[in-house]
Amino acid sequence: QTRPLVVAGKVLFGSWDGRLHCLDVDSGRRLWAWTENANFYYSPAGCIPQSDGKNVFVCAPDGYVSSVNLDSGKTLWRKKYDGWESIGLSEDRKKILVKSRTDEFNIIGTENGALVQKISPAHGGGDIIPGEPVEWQSSIIFGAQNGFLYRIDRSGRMSPLLFLGTAGIQTVLHLKDDLFTASNVDGRIAVFRIRPEE
């Protein structure tokens, strides 16, 4: 359902069989398949996996963020942050950005999943549109189910950047410099610039 992650000679993707799969990039051979909950409804298919180069991070609709060793496929830690397949990584790859479905935004450490910062309210409750938050110059950029694209600044203050329509924003990509693009589930696309913080 989402684009795979390619890292360290491996291709990683979630599937509707309830598992996160890891394939060898050259041969296509499956190296491992991971799950902590094989229930179809909790499949990590809508989550774009994230990696710091050692471990891979995934969030499934059961609300748990999990850290999985990239080489072995073994669970390192698993913490509930009420996310719905919506995670990203900080620019330094030391923090996971978790958009919650319950109107919170959590920033957690990659090492052990400990909470670093909680921002609330963030974007409106009941958000089940998967997306990948992006950090840029200490700001977090993410889309929400209500059709708004938001920015959380370095002080933790959230503000809307643009409204793309009544459909949820699913994709946010940093193209280069201050140039970004976003699209929603209705197929609308915007290309825009974001002013750096003063």
Side-chain angles (χ1 to χ4, degrees), residues 174-196:
H174 180 206
L175 300 175
K176 64 176 185 174
D177 303 325
D178 61 351
L179 191 64
F180 289 77
T181 186
S183 65
N184 70 9
V185 295
D186 279 351
R188 288 188 180 183
I189 298 173
V191 177
F192 54 94
R193 295 187 185 278
I194 298 178
R195 171 187 266 172

Side-chain angles (χ1 to χ4, degrees), residues 140-161:
I140 298 168
I141 315 299
F142 70 98
Q145 184 166 320
N146 62 12
F148 279 92
L149 186 78
Y150 290 102
R151 174 188 200 162
I152 298 173
D153 67 20
R154 63 175 61 99
S155 70
R157 186 180 67 240
M158 193 195 77
S159 58
L161 289 172

Side-chain angles (χ1 to χ4, degrees), residues 4-47:
L5 171 70
V6 179
V7 61
K10 298 173 176 67
V11 179
L12 297 121
F13 60 93
S15 171
W16 284 110
D17 67 357
R19 290 168 172 76
L20 176 70
H21 294 271
C22 178
L23 309 180
D24 179 81
V25 76
D26 293 320
S27 69
R29 182 175 60 91
R30 186 169 78 175
L31 301 174
W32 49 260
W34 169 91
T35 187
E36 287 285 342
N37 189 339
N39 185 321
F40 169 85
Y41 296 103
Y42 297 143
S43 293
C47 179

